[in-house]
Amino acid sequence: MRHPFACFTLSLTLCCVAARGQSASPSPAPLTIIRAGTLIDGVSEAPRKNQLIFVRGKRIEKVTDGSAAVPSGSHVIDLSNATVLPGLIDAHTHIFLWGEDPNKGGYDANILKAGIALRAARATYAARRALEQGFTTLRDVETEGAGYGDIEIKQAIEEGTIPGPRIFGATRAISTTGGYNLEGYAPELEMPKGAQLVDGPVEARKAARQQLEHGADWLKVYMTHRSWVDKQGKLVSQPTLTVEELQAVVDEAHGWQKKVACHAYNGIGLQRALDGGCDSIEHGLEITDAQIAQMKRQGTWYCPTLSPYYDDWAQPDTPEGKRDRARAAVHEISFKKALQAHLKIVYGTDMGGIPWTEPIAQEFKRMVSMGMAPMDAIQSATSRSAEMLDMKGEIGVIAAGAYDGSIFKNEIGK
Ligand SMILES: [Zn+2]
């Protein structure tokens, strides 16, 4: 895809400009002007031809028509043969997830056999991959047993030690006993878990406080866990937290002015996620009309992550194969209903679940193939995700006042 490439060029170039600015004397930051053959600004309905983007320091100063005067001495980046768009936002990733591929040992090997240094090295690779593909912001929704590693990778990026996108980290995530991997081992063994498990509102609130204390930008809660197909052929998902447990998490997060992302497939768990006040529904495979209406009323964000559910199905005659097909069938219906209802759909891939070697832009194709307008899909990965992340006007848009799309210190909440 061409768009991320143009964006990649923009990011890296401006990154260099920023580095030069930091090492120079205290004179005003140098002016860089990007000449865009076509500009998709992340907000407007139509692209604009032949635009100039004036960047001073970390921020965009103004955007003008291509005929505007270029001050002498400014650094001009000529992208007149390219389409320029804001740094993209993937609102659902796992930089610490690696090895879901059964050939590499599956999920369990990632926790049982990879030490924390190896996992950090792989997360570093994932962060660089995202940046190289034009994704300058990630909402990384849990480390899968790697503790607070996402916040430390974020620190390493912010201090300039490694290249990577701006990260909103959810740290450990929260589920209940019986609500997360590792599972299926001898009951007398105390196995490590990929999430922080809680039972009861007191433990739920405590986990939220611990995660927020250690730097979580978002909280992630698993509201469903296992899923299967029942005798009637319907997809069923095991619910995890009660409404009271979730409310304790949400109440605590909102007090810190943070938000809660809820993994929820369908049924009881999805209903509890909405009743408990989740800010975003992750996956949302099967959403009823009443639940769509409730999301609309409550302003809930919807991060469908279509891609992982349409590849690598198990054999059709196995329970897993039936489950995989049932998931995909209802997911498409829910996505189309959400489009029709104008729910606030944000772009998320579940990278990590998808190997980090694969293209991050693949979700665009999937969304558009299911009826989303191309510009709507771009906005889901730019201005709309920015709004969910409380960064409206600062990222996901090319307009005066926005960051230049490169990697910079996350200044919110500091
Ligand atoms: Zn995920």
Side-chain angles (χ1 to χ4, degrees):
M1 211 177 148
R2 187 174 170 184
H3 298 151
F5 177 73
C7 173
F8 162 53
T9 310
L10 176 64
S11 299
L12 285 197
T13 311
L14 296 180
C15 183
C16 298
V17 170
R20 259 208 324 267
Q22 280 158 14
S23 60
S25 60
S27 56
L31 180 64
T32 298
I33 298 174
I34 298 153
R35 187 176 288 282
T38 303
L39 173 67
I40 292 174
D41 67 7
V43 177
S44 305
E45 285 309 310
R48 302 203 292 281
K49 292 283 181 196
N50 194 22
Q51 299 285 299
L52 294 179
I53 306 161
F54 289 66
V55 181
R56 196 179 290 280
K58 295 179 180 181
R59 303 265 186 174
I60 295 170
E61 201 170 73
K62 61 179 176 179
V63 180
T64 69
D65 191 76
S67 58
V70 174
S72 61
S74 51
H75 176 222
V76 178
I77 299 169
D78 186 7
L79 296 176
S80 50
N81 290 322
T83 298
V84 176
L85 73 169
L88 298 169
I89 301 168
D90 189 337
H92 189 124
T93 64
H94 302 274
I95 56 172
F96 276 91
L97 188 52
W98 194 286
E100 288 243 1
D101 180 355
N103 296 326
K104 292 180 180 163
Y107 182 90
D108 291 18
N110 194 39
I111 290 183
L112 293 173
K113 294 192 174 174
I116 196 66
L118 178 57
R119 296 195 65 186
R122 289 168 169 176
T124 303
Y125 171 91
R128 196 188 70 224
R129 283 281 298 173
L131 197 60
E132 286 172 351
Q133 292 177 56
F135 285 81
T136 55
T137 301
L138 304 182
R139 184 181 60 155
D140 199 70
V141 283
E142 92 126 319
T143 61
E144 310 288 354
Y148 297 92
D150 52 349
I151 303 305
E152 293 178 336
I153 293 289
K154 172 180 154 178
Q155 284 172 6
I157 292 168
E158 287 180 354
E159 71 191 19
T161 308
I162 59 168
R166 175 184 278 104
I167 289 179
F168 290 82
T171 74
R172 301 174 62 190
I174 296 169
S175 191
T176 56
T177 296
Y180 212 71
N181 305 317
L182 302 178
E183 296 174 323
Y185 293 86
E188 56 273 24
L189 293 177
E190 192 71 46
M191 299 307 292
K193 297 291 180 183
Q196 188 170 6
L197 305 188
V198 301
D199 295 292
V202 172
E203 285 186 19
R205 188 177 290 272
K206 184 167 185 176
R209 286 173 177 164
Q210 286 173 335
Q211 294 182 11
L212 290 162
E213 179 193 2
H214 293 303
D217 300 301
W218 272 70
L219 295 183
K220 163 79 176 290
V221 180
Y222 285 90
M223 291 304 294
T224 60
H225 181 43
R226 296 169 177 81
S227 63
W228 61 92
V229 174
D230 70 8
K231 286 177 182 166
Q232 284 73 44
K234 265 193 63 65
L235 183 71
V236 182
S237 298
Q238 166 214 344
T240 53
L241 280 79
T242 62
V243 172
E244 292 71 26
E245 287 167 334
L246 176 60
Q247 278 171 336
V249 173
V250 170
D251 183 60
E252 192 65 28
H254 286 180
W256 290 58
Q257 293 194 304
K258 305 288 185 188
K259 291 178 181 165
V260 180
C262 283
H263 167 114
Y265 275 6
N266 68 344
I268 298 168
L270 175 54
Q271 189 57 49
R272 289 180 187 170
L274 295 177
D275 292 345
C278 266
D279 297 293
S280 72
I281 294 293
E282 309 301 305
H283 317 303
L285 302 190
E286 187 177 29
I287 314 178
T288 66
D289 291 344
Q291 287 168 337
I292 294 262
Q294 189 173 356
M295 289 174 75
K296 185 90 182 161
R297 212 165 49 241
Q298 295 180 186
T300 314
W301 302 88
Y302 177 36
C303 187
T305 69
L306 299 166
S307 299
Y309 299 95
Y310 290 85
D311 279 327
D312 301 328
W313 288 344
Q315 292 300 313
D317 48 352
T318 62
E320 293 77 19
K322 286 178 187 161
R323 178 204 61 194
D324 292 347
R325 284 160 182 78
R327 283 176 177 177
V330 292
H331 207 175
E332 180 164 359
I333 295 167
S334 299
F335 182 72
K336 287 178 173 169
K337 277 199 236 176
L339 272 180
Q340 195 135 40
H342 300 290
L343 286 191
K344 298 186 291 185
I345 299 175
V346 293
Y347 186 96
T349 55
D350 221 347
M351 291 306 291
I354 297 171
W356 276 102
T357 46
E358 289 191 19
I360 306 173
Q362 62 186 282
E363 182 79 2
F364 285 115
K365 205 171 156 187
R366 194 73 68 178
M367 290 169 126
V368 170
S369 77
M370 290 190 191
M372 196 175 208
M375 190 59 87
D376 196 9
I378 289 172
Q379 290 176 0
S380 79
T382 52
S383 56
R384 199 173 305 122
S385 283
E387 191 182 339
M388 182 180 76
L389 296 169
D390 293 326
M391 294 290 281
K392 185 179 177 180
E394 296 198 281
I395 61 172
V397 61
I398 295 182
Y403 283 109
D404 62 4
S406 187
I407 46 160
F408 289 113
K409 206 173 168 73
N410 172 5
E411 291 178 348
I412 62 162
K414 296 278 158 59

